[in-house]
mmCIF file with all atom_site columns, all heavy atoms in Angstrom:
data_model
loop_
_atom_site.group_PDB
_atom_site.id
_atom_site.type_symbol
_atom_site.label_atom_id
_atom_site.label_alt_id
_atom_site.label_comp_id
_atom_site.label_asym_id
_atom_site.label_entity_id
_atom_site.label_seq_id
_atom_site.pdbx_PDB_ins_code
_atom_site.Cartn_x
_atom_site.Cartn_y
_atom_site.Cartn_z
_atom_site.occupancy
_atom_site.B_iso_or_equiv
_atom_site.pdbx_formal_charge
_atom_site.auth_seq_id
_atom_site.auth_comp_id
_atom_site.auth_asym_id
_atom_site.auth_atom_id
_atom_site.pdbx_PDB_model_num
ATOM 1  N N   . LEU O 1 182 ? -13.884 1.723  4.728   1.00 0.00 ? 182 LEU O N   1
ATOM 2  C CA  . LEU O 1 182 ? -13.767 2.479  3.450   1.00 0.00 ? 182 LEU O CA  1
ATOM 3  C C   . LEU O 1 182 ? -14.300 1.694  2.367   1.00 0.00 ? 182 LEU O C   1
ATOM 4  O O   . LEU O 1 182 ? -14.545 2.232  1.211   1.00 0.00 ? 182 LEU O O   1
ATOM 5  C CB  . LEU O 1 182 ? -12.205 2.844  3.210   1.00 0.00 ? 182 LEU O CB  1
ATOM 6  C CG  . LEU O 1 182 ? -11.553 3.764  4.162   1.00 0.00 ? 182 LEU O CG  1
ATOM 7  C CD1 . LEU O 1 182 ? -10.170 4.036  3.774   1.00 0.00 ? 182 LEU O CD1 1
ATOM 8  C CD2 . LEU O 1 182 ? -12.293 5.065  4.178   1.00 0.00 ? 182 LEU O CD2 1
ATOM 9  N N   . ILE O 1 183 ? -14.506 0.365  2.417   1.00 0.00 ? 183 ILE O N   1
ATOM 10 C CA  . ILE O 1 183 ? -15.059 -0.441 1.475   1.00 0.00 ? 183 ILE O CA  1
ATOM 11 C C   . ILE O 1 183 ? -16.494 0.071  1.104   1.00 0.00 ? 183 ILE O C   1
ATOM 12 O O   . ILE O 1 183 ? -16.867 0.352  -0.056  1.00 0.00 ? 183 ILE O O   1
ATOM 13 C CB  . ILE O 1 183 ? -15.011 -1.922 1.776   1.00 0.00 ? 183 ILE O CB  1
ATOM 14 C CG1 . ILE O 1 183 ? -13.575 -2.319 1.744   1.00 0.00 ? 183 ILE O CG1 1
ATOM 15 C CG2 . ILE O 1 183 ? -15.760 -2.782 0.673   1.00 0.00 ? 183 ILE O CG2 1
ATOM 16 C CD1 . ILE O 1 183 ? -13.304 -3.690 2.076   1.00 0.00 ? 183 ILE O CD1 1
ATOM 17 N N   . SER O 1 184 ? -17.400 0.221  2.143   1.00 0.00 ? 184 SER O N   1
ATOM 18 C CA  . SER O 1 184 ? -18.637 0.692  1.933   1.00 0.00 ? 184 SER O CA  1
ATOM 19 C C   . SER O 1 184 ? -18.660 2.169  1.669   1.00 0.00 ? 184 SER O C   1
ATOM 20 O O   . SER O 1 184 ? -19.583 2.638  0.815   1.00 0.00 ? 184 SER O O   1
ATOM 21 C CB  . SER O 1 184 ? -19.576 0.369  3.125   1.00 0.00 ? 184 SER O CB  1
ATOM 22 O OG  . SER O 1 184 ? -18.950 0.069  4.350   1.00 0.00 ? 184 SER O OG  1
ATOM 23 N N   . TYR O 1 185 ? -17.647 2.885  2.088   1.00 0.00 ? 185 TYR O N   1
ATOM 24 C CA  . TYR O 1 185 ? -17.681 4.374  1.831   1.00 0.00 ? 185 TYR O CA  1
ATOM 25 C C   . TYR O 1 185 ? -17.419 4.516  0.277   1.00 0.00 ? 185 TYR O C   1
ATOM 26 O O   . TYR O 1 185 ? -18.292 5.268  -0.290  1.00 0.00 ? 185 TYR O O   1
ATOM 27 C CB  . TYR O 1 185 ? -16.348 4.825  2.552   1.00 0.00 ? 185 TYR O CB  1
ATOM 28 C CG  . TYR O 1 185 ? -15.970 6.403  2.371   1.00 0.00 ? 185 TYR O CG  1
ATOM 29 C CD1 . TYR O 1 185 ? -16.383 7.252  3.370   1.00 0.00 ? 185 TYR O CD1 1
ATOM 30 C CD2 . TYR O 1 185 ? -15.367 6.875  1.205   1.00 0.00 ? 185 TYR O CD2 1
ATOM 31 C CE1 . TYR O 1 185 ? -15.956 8.572  3.168   1.00 0.00 ? 185 TYR O CE1 1
ATOM 32 C CE2 . TYR O 1 185 ? -14.921 8.155  1.093   1.00 0.00 ? 185 TYR O CE2 1
ATOM 33 C CZ  . TYR O 1 185 ? -15.332 9.074  2.067   1.00 0.00 ? 185 TYR O CZ  1
ATOM 34 O OH  . TYR O 1 185 ? -15.082 10.404 1.975   1.00 0.00 ? 185 TYR O OH  1
ATOM 35 N N   . TYR O 1 186 ? -16.569 3.771  -0.360  1.00 0.00 ? 186 TYR O N   1
ATOM 36 C CA  . TYR O 1 186 ? -16.219 3.916  -1.785  1.00 0.00 ? 186 TYR O CA  1
ATOM 37 C C   . TYR O 1 186 ? -17.339 3.203  -2.543  1.00 0.00 ? 186 TYR O C   1
ATOM 38 O O   . TYR O 1 186 ? -17.679 3.611  -3.675  1.00 0.00 ? 186 TYR O O   1
ATOM 39 C CB  . TYR O 1 186 ? -14.955 3.591  -2.198  1.00 0.00 ? 186 TYR O CB  1
ATOM 40 C CG  . TYR O 1 186 ? -13.933 4.632  -1.729  1.00 0.00 ? 186 TYR O CG  1
ATOM 41 C CD1 . TYR O 1 186 ? -12.972 4.338  -0.729  1.00 0.00 ? 186 TYR O CD1 1
ATOM 42 C CD2 . TYR O 1 186 ? -13.972 5.907  -2.246  1.00 0.00 ? 186 TYR O CD2 1
ATOM 43 C CE1 . TYR O 1 186 ? -11.968 5.377  -0.354  1.00 0.00 ? 186 TYR O CE1 1
ATOM 44 C CE2 . TYR O 1 186 ? -13.042 6.914  -1.874  1.00 0.00 ? 186 TYR O CE2 1
ATOM 45 C CZ  . TYR O 1 186 ? -12.088 6.597  -0.878  1.00 0.00 ? 186 TYR O CZ  1
ATOM 46 O OH  . TYR O 1 186 ? -11.279 7.597  -0.521  1.00 0.00 ? 186 TYR O OH  1
ATOM 47 N N   . LYS O 1 187 ? -17.997 2.156  -2.038  1.00 0.00 ? 187 LYS O N   1
ATOM 48 C CA  . LYS O 1 187 ? -19.135 1.451  -2.755  1.00 0.00 ? 187 LYS O CA  1
ATOM 49 C C   . LYS O 1 187 ? -20.258 2.531  -2.765  1.00 0.00 ? 187 LYS O C   1
ATOM 50 O O   . LYS O 1 187 ? -20.958 2.653  -3.844  1.00 0.00 ? 187 LYS O O   1
ATOM 51 C CB  . LYS O 1 187 ? -19.613 0.311  -1.856  1.00 0.00 ? 187 LYS O CB  1
ATOM 52 C CG  . LYS O 1 187 ? -20.400 -0.639 -2.550  1.00 0.00 ? 187 LYS O CG  1
ATOM 53 C CD  . LYS O 1 187 ? -20.562 -1.902 -1.818  1.00 0.00 ? 187 LYS O CD  1
ATOM 54 C CE  . LYS O 1 187 ? -21.590 -2.791 -2.447  1.00 0.00 ? 187 LYS O CE  1
ATOM 55 N NZ  . LYS O 1 187 ? -22.105 -3.821 -1.600  1.00 0.00 ? 187 LYS O NZ  1
ATOM 56 N N   . GLY O 1 188 ? -20.486 3.329  -1.708  1.00 0.00 ? 188 GLY O N   1
ATOM 57 C CA  . GLY O 1 188 ? -21.491 4.275  -1.742  1.00 0.00 ? 188 GLY O CA  1
ATOM 58 C C   . GLY O 1 188 ? -21.368 5.370  -2.848  1.00 0.00 ? 188 GLY O C   1
ATOM 59 O O   . GLY O 1 188 ? -22.253 6.013  -3.237  1.00 0.00 ? 188 GLY O O   1
ATOM 60 N N   . LEU O 1 189 ? -19.972 5.625  -3.127  1.00 0.00 ? 189 LEU O N   1
ATOM 61 C CA  . LEU O 1 189 ? -19.669 6.556  -4.169  1.00 0.00 ? 189 LEU O CA  1
ATOM 62 C C   . LEU O 1 189 ? -19.746 6.021  -5.622  1.00 0.00 ? 189 LEU O C   1
ATOM 63 O O   . LEU O 1 189 ? -19.567 6.686  -6.563  1.00 0.00 ? 189 LEU O O   1
ATOM 64 C CB  . LEU O 1 189 ? -18.277 7.188  -3.959  1.00 0.00 ? 189 LEU O CB  1
ATOM 65 C CG  . LEU O 1 189 ? -18.175 8.003  -2.588  1.00 0.00 ? 189 LEU O CG  1
ATOM 66 C CD1 . LEU O 1 189 ? -16.699 8.592  -2.597  1.00 0.00 ? 189 LEU O CD1 1
ATOM 67 C CD2 . LEU O 1 189 ? -19.077 9.111  -2.574  1.00 0.00 ? 189 LEU O CD2 1
ATOM 68 N N   . GLY O 1 190 ? -19.957 4.751  -5.716  1.00 0.00 ? 190 GLY O N   1
ATOM 69 C CA  . GLY O 1 190 ? -20.084 4.024  -6.931  1.00 0.00 ? 190 GLY O CA  1
ATOM 70 C C   . GLY O 1 190 ? -18.781 3.815  -7.744  1.00 0.00 ? 190 GLY O C   1
ATOM 71 O O   . GLY O 1 190 ? -18.882 3.520  -8.842  1.00 0.00 ? 190 GLY O O   1
ATOM 72 N N   . ILE O 1 191 ? -17.653 3.884  -6.937  1.00 0.00 ? 191 ILE O N   1
ATOM 73 C CA  . ILE O 1 191 ? -16.385 3.670  -7.649  1.00 0.00 ? 191 ILE O CA  1
ATOM 74 C C   . ILE O 1 191 ? -15.628 2.394  -7.206  1.00 0.00 ? 191 ILE O C   1
ATOM 75 O O   . ILE O 1 191 ? -14.397 2.261  -7.557  1.00 0.00 ? 191 ILE O O   1
ATOM 76 C CB  . ILE O 1 191 ? -15.554 4.913  -7.632  1.00 0.00 ? 191 ILE O CB  1
ATOM 77 C CG1 . ILE O 1 191 ? -15.404 5.403  -6.175  1.00 0.00 ? 191 ILE O CG1 1
ATOM 78 C CG2 . ILE O 1 191 ? -16.141 5.996  -8.551  1.00 0.00 ? 191 ILE O CG2 1
ATOM 79 C CD1 . ILE O 1 191 ? -14.347 6.564  -6.006  1.00 0.00 ? 191 ILE O CD1 1
ATOM 80 N N   . LEU O 1 192 ? -16.250 1.506  -6.342  1.00 0.00 ? 192 LEU O N   1
ATOM 81 C CA  . LEU O 1 192 ? -15.478 0.377  -5.869  1.00 0.00 ? 192 LEU O CA  1
ATOM 82 C C   . LEU O 1 192 ? -15.587 -0.780 -6.764  1.00 0.00 ? 192 LEU O C   1
ATOM 83 O O   . LEU O 1 192 ? -16.630 -1.111 -7.195  1.00 0.00 ? 192 LEU O O   1
ATOM 84 C CB  . LEU O 1 192 ? -15.995 0.153  -4.464  1.00 0.00 ? 192 LEU O CB  1
ATOM 85 C CG  . LEU O 1 192 ? -15.300 -1.012 -3.799  1.00 0.00 ? 192 LEU O CG  1
ATOM 86 C CD1 . LEU O 1 192 ? -14.130 -0.569 -2.969  1.00 0.00 ? 192 LEU O CD1 1
ATOM 87 C CD2 . LEU O 1 192 ? -16.099 -1.957 -2.808  1.00 0.00 ? 192 LEU O CD2 1
ATOM 88 N N   . GLU O 1 193 ? -14.439 -1.526 -6.885  1.00 0.00 ? 193 GLU O N   1
ATOM 89 C CA  . GLU O 1 193 ? -14.486 -2.770 -7.524  1.00 0.00 ? 193 GLU O CA  1
ATOM 90 C C   . GLU O 1 193 ? -13.685 -3.804 -6.632  1.00 0.00 ? 193 GLU O C   1
ATOM 91 O O   . GLU O 1 193 ? -12.597 -3.364 -6.182  1.00 0.00 ? 193 GLU O O   1
ATOM 92 C CB  . GLU O 1 193 ? -13.758 -2.753 -8.950  1.00 0.00 ? 193 GLU O CB  1
ATOM 93 C CG  . GLU O 1 193 ? -14.473 -1.809 -9.983  1.00 0.00 ? 193 GLU O CG  1
ATOM 94 C CD  . GLU O 1 193 ? -15.611 -2.575 -10.562 1.00 0.00 ? 193 GLU O CD  1
ATOM 95 O OE1 . GLU O 1 193 ? -15.894 -3.815 -10.344 1.00 0.00 ? 193 GLU O OE1 1
ATOM 96 O OE2 . GLU O 1 193 ? -16.349 -1.864 -11.152 1.00 0.00 ? 193 GLU O OE2 1
#
Side-chain angles (χ1 to χ4, degrees):
L182 294 181
I183 294 178
S184 17
Y185 180 100
Y186 286 116
K187 195 171 175 195
L189 296 181
I191 52 175
L192 182 88
E193 295 285 352

